[in-house]
Amino acid sequence: MNAPLTHAKPAPLAPFVDALPLPSRLIALEHDGRLTVSIRAGTHRFHRDLPVSSVWGFEGMVPGPTIEAERGRPVTVEWLNELKGPFPVLDTVAPEPADADGVPVQCLPGLSGGEPNRHAAGLTGHTVVHLHGGLTPASYDGWAENLFAPGQPAVFDYPMDQRAALLWYHDHVMGITKLDVYAGLAGLWIVRDERERELELPEGPPFEVPLLIQDRNFDLDEHGRLTGQLVHKTDPEVMEAFPPFTVVNGKVWPVLEVRPATYRFRVLNGSNARTYRLVVLHEVAPEHERITQIGTDHGLLRAPVAVPADGLVLASAERADVLVDFSDLPPGSELTVLNTARAPFDGSPFPVSDAENAADPEGLLPYPQVLRFRVAGEPANSVSIPRKLATDYEAPPAEALAGARRRAIALVEREMGDEPNMLTMRELGPAGDGPLVTVSDGDETTRYRVVAAHFEDATTFFPMLGEYEVWQLINLTGDTHPIHLHLDPFQILSRQPIRYEIPEGGIGGRELAATVTLAREPDDELDHAIDDNERGLKDTIRVNPNEIVEIAVRFNSYSGRYMYHCHILEHEDRDMMRPFVTMAPELMPFMA
Ligand SMILES: [Cu+2]
């Protein structure tokens, strides 16, 4: 049942009292492109009224410093692993999904009767850094199994031969990314280039502001008071953590004082699992006409777009570059950013007109607050929004796609009884003996069998550098999965409704039987549309339930072993991740 925001349980922390922190900037050019970043334990205050928290962070900070680089100017980072235990997060599975009053335990602070996971408590600080969105040679891409132990430095070269964009760097350790990132191991990385400067977009403070959005939970002491102790809590019915407190740049529900001017916000969803649908309210009325989106994951769109009518949807790891015009607002005006997306997210719409009533504990959204803007001070120059933005990419040409290698991947959730469910990416190959997956589009039926199901199964994807491929992502689960490819960006080609049947016992450890038809399920309420802001260069794409998404990807930059995975960290860790190897064409004749 929806509890209106005005009548929702009062939040245990006051919203909009802390100023939005701006992460410290580390400008690569000022250091001749050679940076040293220590990875270490630190302390951090997430809210005025919370005690300090122990964290693991880059430079001991949450978030880590924002690294700013120039296109074509390589950056070398010496990552110094100086982590030391104890691990700063209590990880637990609550024994029941709801408390005695029927409130989902994930909406509540504390352990809710869960035992702290002793294996998490025993973590000593292995890490590996991945630059998300970076066109990075494989040796420096942060392969999930190539760990840096405490005391072991790693020197990674980032060529920065890529267009301007908001990237982010974060831990990527096999099996525990969800814990290490939650502990604080994430920071932003901005690449800048001449095209953006030609357009005279705001660069740096005060008019360019990064917003790293995450959700966090904390423990309670014996008197029921919040401590700063970070808690990663799941429950027997929901294997992802959806903590109740939204944190922007490290503060719970902060407030940013803005001048009557146009601001550029570089927005990243850095949450483990939560998808946000962000709406901006002035009093109670949505004012989305103030917002213009100019960029996505890999930088500028070709032309500015309005945000979708119901709000800006960002799943884990998706980015948006938006201009917000406050210039006509008198001092004292307040605009509030709310989230209207239930969790786990399944693409279901929520009308923007009802955004003030978005609080929904059953949808694991007890507090929709994200951030507030308060207008103060003198007007500043307003920014004119160019009508033409990027000029360096086009939609993939039809001729290239006609002959393109096609790959199919089914997203599958396997019930595991007492254990949390397994999520896997079943790579599909030509049908042989055994269970079949059929995909029917009109009269045409393609027959497949599973050729790989788990991260450690043999590699089956060997894309050739320079050639377009079409990857078909087939969602056979009830949730939206943000699928991320390392290395080069891709473009979405289509998002189509499907219906499917999986026979009793059809999901095995490696096998899969399913009948998929490209047609809408009668009770399917999703529109399966491509948002305008998804028609750019993406590295993470949402695949909703009852949906096939096709993407066109062309790996151009480096040969080597990379990963693709769901960016819900609890899914990536269990086991929604697979390798691929990009190949130089001249080596192909020598491949067995
Ligand atoms: Cu997933």
Side-chain angles (χ1 to χ4, degrees):
M1 225 177 58
N2 286 0
L5 177 59
T6 41
H7 305 120
K9 248 179 106 176
L13 291 170
F16 315 129
V17 294
D18 286 295
L20 176 81
L22 300 177
S24 67
R25 302 168 75 197
L26 196 46
I27 296 172
L29 274 189
E30 292 176 2
H31 301 268
D32 224 6
R34 305 194 65 83
L35 305 176
T36 301
V37 176
S38 106
I39 309 171
R40 56 184 154 87
T43 56
H44 178 78
R45 196 182 293 275
F46 283 94
H47 186 277
R48 179 191 77 180
D49 299 329
L50 273 177
V52 292
S53 302
S54 295
V55 297
W56 280 358
F58 294 97
E59 297 295 348
M61 299 188 299
V62 172
T66 299
I67 295 174
E68 297 187 25
E70 297 288 320
R71 180 176 193 162
R73 302 291 294 267
V75 177
T76 299
V77 183
E78 183 175 12
W79 302 106
L80 291 179
N81 183 351
E82 297 173 335
L83 289 170
K84 269 209 297 269
F87 182 62
V89 178
L90 289 177
D91 176 43
T92 198
V93 184
E96 300 290 338
D99 73 357
D101 300 325
V103 179
V105 293
Q106 294 222 34
C107 296
L108 301 167
L111 300 185
S112 304
E115 288 291 320
N117 173 358
R118 65 189 169 86
H119 299 298
L123 292 171
T124 54
H126 290 87
T127 188
V128 57
V129 181
H130 168 60
L131 176 58
H132 182 125
L135 304 190
T136 308
S139 350
Y140 308 124
D141 192 53
W143 182 260
E145 293 167 312
N146 291 348
L147 308 188
F148 329 153
Q152 177 189 340
V155 181
F156 279 15
D157 292 331
Y158 300 98
M160 292 290 104
D161 184 9
Q162 60 183 99
R163 63 208 298 272
L166 173 66
L167 320 181
W168 61 306
Y169 60 98
H170 63 76
D171 175 274
H172 210 315
V173 172
M174 197 70 199
I176 59 164
T177 297
K178 65 182 180 202
L179 295 174
D180 278 357
V181 171
Y182 197 89
L185 292 175
L188 302 173
W189 181 307
I190 297 175
V191 186
R192 305 196 181 278
D193 70 9
E194 284 315 310
R195 177 62 187 157
E196 284 196 5
R197 294 207 174 101
E198 276 167 24
L199 298 172
E200 299 185 331
L201 298 168
E203 179 178 322
F207 297 115
E208 183 193 39
V209 179
L211 300 175
L212 193 172
I213 305 176
Q214 300 178 304
D215 51 1
R216 290 294 181 268
N217 202 353
F218 306 98
D219 201 6
L220 297 171
D221 67 14
E222 64 272 27
H223 307 292
R225 290 179 301 221
L226 282 166
T227 71
Q229 168 69 56
L230 283 167
V231 167
H232 177 273
K233 179 167 60 181
T234 58
D235 68 69
E237 290 180 0
V238 181
M239 55 101 66
E240 310 86 6
F242 293 106
F245 302 108
T246 302
V247 169
V248 188
N249 296 350
K251 287 288 179 196
V252 177
W253 304 320
V255 56
L256 177 67
E257 214 164 79
V258 293
R259 292 167 65 184
T262 296
Y263 281 67
R264 180 184 188 192
F265 295 102
R266 314 297 301 267
V267 192
L268 162 71
N269 178 359
S271 302
N272 276 28
R274 187 180 294 275
T275 294
Y276 298 84
R277 180 169 37 221
L278 301 173
V279 303
V280 175
L281 301 187
H282 186 193
E283 310 297 336
V284 296
E287 291 203 346
H288 287 179
E289 60 283 0
R290 295 186 179 281
I291 311 172
T292 306
Q293 185 168 350
I294 57 169
T296 179
D297 302 349
H298 271 249
L300 291 177
L301 297 162
R302 279 192 292 262
V305 297
V307 298
D310 283 340
L312 173 63
V313 181
L314 291 177
S316 179
E318 285 189 294
R319 285 92 80 201
D321 190 348
V322 295
L323 298 173
V324 181
D325 182 1
F326 303 104
S327 61
D328 63 322
L329 292 169
S333 306
E334 289 183 336
L335 274 73
T336 306
V337 183
L338 296 180
N339 170 27
T340 68
R342 288 171 60 100
F345 187 69
D346 62 5
S348 297
F350 188 92
V352 69
S353 53
D354 203 25
E356 57 171 328
N357 299 317
D360 178 4
E362 283 193 14
L364 305 185
L365 182 63
Y367 314 114
Q369 293 90 338
V370 176
L371 168 73
R372 176 165 284 172
F373 303 112
R374 191 172 290 140
V375 180
E378 294 299 307
N381 287 342
S382 73
V383 173
S384 69
I385 299 171
R387 282 167 53 205
K388 199 168 182 187
L389 300 167
T391 53
D392 62 341
Y393 74 94
E394 294 294 335
E399 319 82 79
L401 294 181
R405 176 76 181 238
R406 298 179 69 83
R407 306 188 189 274
I409 303 129
L411 314 180
V412 173
E413 178 157 4
R414 183 170 170 233
E415 310 270 338
M416 298 293 284
D418 286 349
E419 297 256 300
N421 292 350
M422 290 288 283
L423 285 129
T424 57
M425 316 187 75
R426 303 287 169 98
E427 291 174 0
L428 304 178
D433 296 336
L436 270 184
V437 178
T438 62
V439 179
S440 301
D441 184 3
D443 293 340
E444 201 176 303
T445 295
T446 314
R447 295 151 56 88
Y448 297 107
R449 76 188 159 93
V450 172
V451 293
H454 301 290
F455 185 71
E456 305 296 353
D457 289 353
T459 305
T460 75
F461 287 7
F462 294 91
M464 257 200 277
L465 290 183
E467 295 199 358
Y468 270 109
E469 300 205 340
V470 175
W471 291 24
Q472 202 174 40
L473 302 159
I474 309 167
N475 191 348
L476 305 181
T477 79
D479 298 326
T480 298
H481 300 275
I483 302 299
H484 169 49
L485 273 57
H486 285 211
L487 201 59
D488 293 273
F490 53 79
Q491 294 189 62
I492 185 168
L493 296 174
S494 66
R495 176 175 271 148
Q496 290 175 274
I498 55 170
R499 55 169 187 255
Y500 62 91
E501 275 174 54
I502 299 175
E504 185 73 31
I507 301 178
R510 278 197 167 63
E511 307 73 36
L512 173 67
T515 316
V516 179
T517 308
L518 274 98
R520 181 178 284 273
E521 196 77 75
D523 58 354
D524 181 356
E525 290 178 354
L526 302 194
D527 62 9
H528 303 286
I530 300 174
D531 291 339
D532 289 341
N533 60 15
E534 293 182 300
R535 296 188 186 276
L537 296 177
K538 295 281 290 170
D539 62 36
T540 305
I541 192 79
R542 298 186 300 276
V543 187
N544 297 302
N546 295 101
E547 191 167 285
I548 288 187
V549 168
E550 283 191 334
I551 58 172
V553 60
R554 180 170 56 173
F555 296 101
N556 284 325
S557 38
Y558 301 101
S559 306
R561 181 169 291 266
Y562 292 90
M563 301 176 286
Y564 73 100
H565 56 89
C566 177
H567 219 288
I568 291 177
L569 303 184
E570 286 83 354
H571 295 182
E572 158 184 347
D573 283 343
R574 196 179 161 80
D575 167 42
M576 227 174 187
M577 182 156 78
R578 283 285 301 156
F580 63 89
V581 175
T582 51
M583 296 290 299
E586 22 324 7
L587 298 188
M588 290 311 271
F590 300 92
M591 294 287 289

